[in-house]
């Protein structure tokens, strides 16, 4: 048997979902509504098994204060907020009032709306404000899933905002496989490649890239 990660055929992926996914009815409804209301953008939503994985990570590190950059219709925020304790807090950043309004309905229905503090606006500015707030250095968890051109900047902000031992999760780090295709010189591909290379050498973090969804980097602040 090879020692490399196994590739997931459609059948094996179905098996994985059938045997491990514990998605609530509400989460499934949110996925269905996103797919029907926003067909062209629904692919931005994380995979359900990734939401479950991120919730597990939040519980494993005992996260109480979390940050999300890129909320869309609120699936990842719902998954993480449900993994926080009742007095936990997730600051969710996005520029779209329209997309996040869908999420807000589901957060209310799930009983976690009081744990989610939605900050509408450019995340670059939201994070700059957080860095001078009382929460700076207190975050346990951060999830980066917004505009790829700012990923490096978001990473630096998150690292500053996290406590030592806190965890940053970065989405789309395999970018549909294009990061490994030298012929692909798209702006987003280059930005993600640069970040992946920089993190490889970054001694401020412990590092693993998990090939779940579109690739999820885990970076633990040392
Ligand atoms: C890939 S989607 C997030 C998906 C979400 N995590 C989920 O699970 O459904 C990216 C989101 O980032 C938001 N976004 C893009 N650029 C942004 C910026 N500069 N500041 C804040 N949000 C931004 C978009 O509005 C979009 O909702």
């Amino acid at each position: 048997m090879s020692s490399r990660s196994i590739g997931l055929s459609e059948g094996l992926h179905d098996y994985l979902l059938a045997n491990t996914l514990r998605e609530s009815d509400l989460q499934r409804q949110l996925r269905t509504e996103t797919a029907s209301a926003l067909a062209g953008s629904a692919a931005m939503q994380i995979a359900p098994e990734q939401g479950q994985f991120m919730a597990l990570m939040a519980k494993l590190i005992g996260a109480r204060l979390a940050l999300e950059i890129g909320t869309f219709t609120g699936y990842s925020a719902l998954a993480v907020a449900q993994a926080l304790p009742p007095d936990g807090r997730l600051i969710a950043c996005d520029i779209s009032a329209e997309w996040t309004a869908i999420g807000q309905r589901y957060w209310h229905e799930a009983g976690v709306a009081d744990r989610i503090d939605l900050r509408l606006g450019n995340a670059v500015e939201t994070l700059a404000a957080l860095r001078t707030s009382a929460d700076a250095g207190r975050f346990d968890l951060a999830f980066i899933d917004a505009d790829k051109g700012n990923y490096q900047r978001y990473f630096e902000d998150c690292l500053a905002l996290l406590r030592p031992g806190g965890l940053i999760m970065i989405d789309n780090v395999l970018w549909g496989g294009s990061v490994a295709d030298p012929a692909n010189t798209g702006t987003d591909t280059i930005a993600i490649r640069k970040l992946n290379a920089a993190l490889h050498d970054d001694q401020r973090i412990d590092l693993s890239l998990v090939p779940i969804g579109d690739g999820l980097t885990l970076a633990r602040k040392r």
Side-chain angles (χ1 to χ4, degrees):
M1 186 194 284
S2 159
S3 59
R4 68 188 281 281
S5 300
I6 192 169
L8 287 186
S9 64
E10 206 166 320
L12 196 50
H13 183 237
D14 287 347
Y15 173 88
L16 180 156
L17 295 181
N19 287 279
T20 66
L21 187 63
R22 296 178 173 178
E23 191 178 41
S24 68
D25 289 344
L26 207 56
Q27 285 175 307
R28 198 171 306 111
Q29 276 171 36
L30 174 51
R31 272 201 300 130
T32 308
E33 178 172 346
T34 303
S36 62
L38 302 166
S41 313
M44 291 206 290
Q45 192 169 60
I46 59 164
E49 65 271 30
Q50 182 179 333
Q52 185 169 318
F53 178 78
M54 288 167 47
L56 179 62
M57 288 295 113
K59 285 187 180 171
L60 278 175
I61 66 164
R64 307 184 76 83
L65 183 59
L67 176 64
E68 171 173 277
I69 304 153
T71 296
F72 188 43
T73 59
Y75 190 94
S76 49
L78 179 60
V80 169
Q82 286 179 315
L84 300 177
D87 64 345
R89 194 155 54 98
L90 169 67
I91 297 182
C93 308
D94 206 286
I95 39 173
S96 172
E98 182 197 337
W99 288 342
T100 53
I102 296 176
Q104 281 177 304
R105 276 195 277 114
Y106 285 86
W107 303 339
H108 276 286
E109 219 172 311
V112 295
D114 59 340
R115 293 179 205 170
I116 303 178
D117 175 357
L118 176 65
R119 306 271 173 102
L120 284 177
N122 189 336
V124 170
E125 285 152 31
T126 307
L127 295 187
L130 280 174
R131 284 184 70 157
T132 60
S133 76
D135 286 331
R138 293 187 50 244
F139 283 86
D140 303 298
L141 185 72
F143 176 48
I144 302 175
D145 188 18
D147 46 327
K148 311 309 167 200
N150 277 319
Y151 260 30
Q152 194 110 32
R153 176 179 207 151
Y154 293 148
F155 172 76
E156 287 302 329
D157 284 333
C158 288
L159 200 61
L161 288 168
L162 245 58
R163 62 161 168 87
L167 181 68
I168 304 175
M169 301 183 285
I170 310 170
D171 201 25
N172 305 114
V173 289
L174 295 178
W175 206 222
S178 64
V179 286
D181 173 8
N184 191 316
T185 53
T187 315
D188 288 343
T189 305
I190 289 174
I192 294 170
R193 254 191 224 128
K194 271 192 187 158
L195 176 68
N196 289 342
L199 296 188
H200 194 191
D201 293 332
D202 194 328
Q203 295 307 311
R204 298 172 297 173
I205 54 166
D206 299 310
L207 177 69
S208 183
L209 194 166
V210 183
I212 190 170
D214 193 24
L216 183 71
T217 283
L218 302 185
R220 176 189 172 276
K221 180 174 176 174
R222 286 180 168 162

